[in-house]
């Protein structure tokens, strides 16, 4: 069973940046694409960004141009660089395969507030 550990969240002012990291306890199959998801208070979890094993990326319209997903295949972690953060980006951010295969981790909370 692979465990997911997200880190890098925190409190940031609007317009600021954060970089989230996703570590896995086990080896990541080269079959899977990886994604970042988020769940804002009172809302359903949504897909934010996806990266395939070939390096192709796709983003939700709400973050396109501001967020960048990347991965280091040699070390397995997946990253999410978040720039120009807005209050509406406030959420708990999770990584998982795309489509979702593994059990969700604890997530990393991001708060954007002045």
């Amino acid at each position: 069973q692979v465990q997911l550990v997200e880190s890098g969240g925190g409190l940031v002012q609007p317009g600021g940046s954060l970089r989230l990291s996703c570590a896995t306890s086990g080896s990541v199959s080269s079959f899977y694409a990886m994604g970042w998801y988020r769940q804002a208070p009172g809302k359903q979890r949504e897909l934010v960004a996806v990266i395939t094993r070939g390096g192709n990326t796709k983003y939700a319209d709400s973050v396109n141009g501001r967020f960048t997903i990347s991965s280091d295949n040699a070390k397995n972690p997946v990253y999410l660089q978040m720039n120009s953060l807005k209050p509406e980006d406030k959420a708990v951010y999770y990584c998982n395969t795309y489509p979702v295969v593994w059990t969700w981790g604890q997530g990393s909370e991001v708060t954007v507030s002045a």
Side-chain angles (χ1 to χ4, degrees):
Q1 176 69 30
V2 174
Q3 291 184 324
L4 300 165
V5 180
E6 301 89 353
S7 62
L11 172 64
V12 64
Q13 293 184 342
S17 299
L18 286 172
R19 189 190 193 210
L20 303 182
S21 296
C22 170
T24 62
S25 61
S27 62
V28 175
S29 169
S30 61
F31 175 79
Y32 295 120
M34 292 295 296
W36 280 97
Y37 304 76
R38 68 184 180 187
Q39 186 167 21
K43 296 186 177 181
Q44 291 187 334
R45 187 148 31 200
E46 63 175 350
L47 178 66
V48 174
V50 175
I51 185 167
T52 69
R53 285 301 167 187
N56 295 315
T57 59
K58 189 173 183 180
Y59 300 92
D61 289 343
S62 59
V63 306
N64 195 25
R66 299 187 297 121
F67 290 11
T68 302
I69 187 171
S70 61
S71 69
D72 181 338
N73 289 328
K75 298 182 180 180
N76 293 330
V78 178
Y79 306 98
L80 186 68
Q81 178 67 42
M82 304 185 295
N83 298 329
S84 302
L85 282 161
K86 304 176 180 180
E88 50 264 44
D89 294 319
K90 171 185 168 64
V92 179
Y93 286 73
Y94 304 86
C95 62
N96 211 315
T97 56
Y98 176 80
V100 174
V101 172
W102 297 328
T103 301
W104 295 101
Q106 295 298 309
S108 184
E109 186 169 7
V110 172
T111 301
V112 185
S113 175

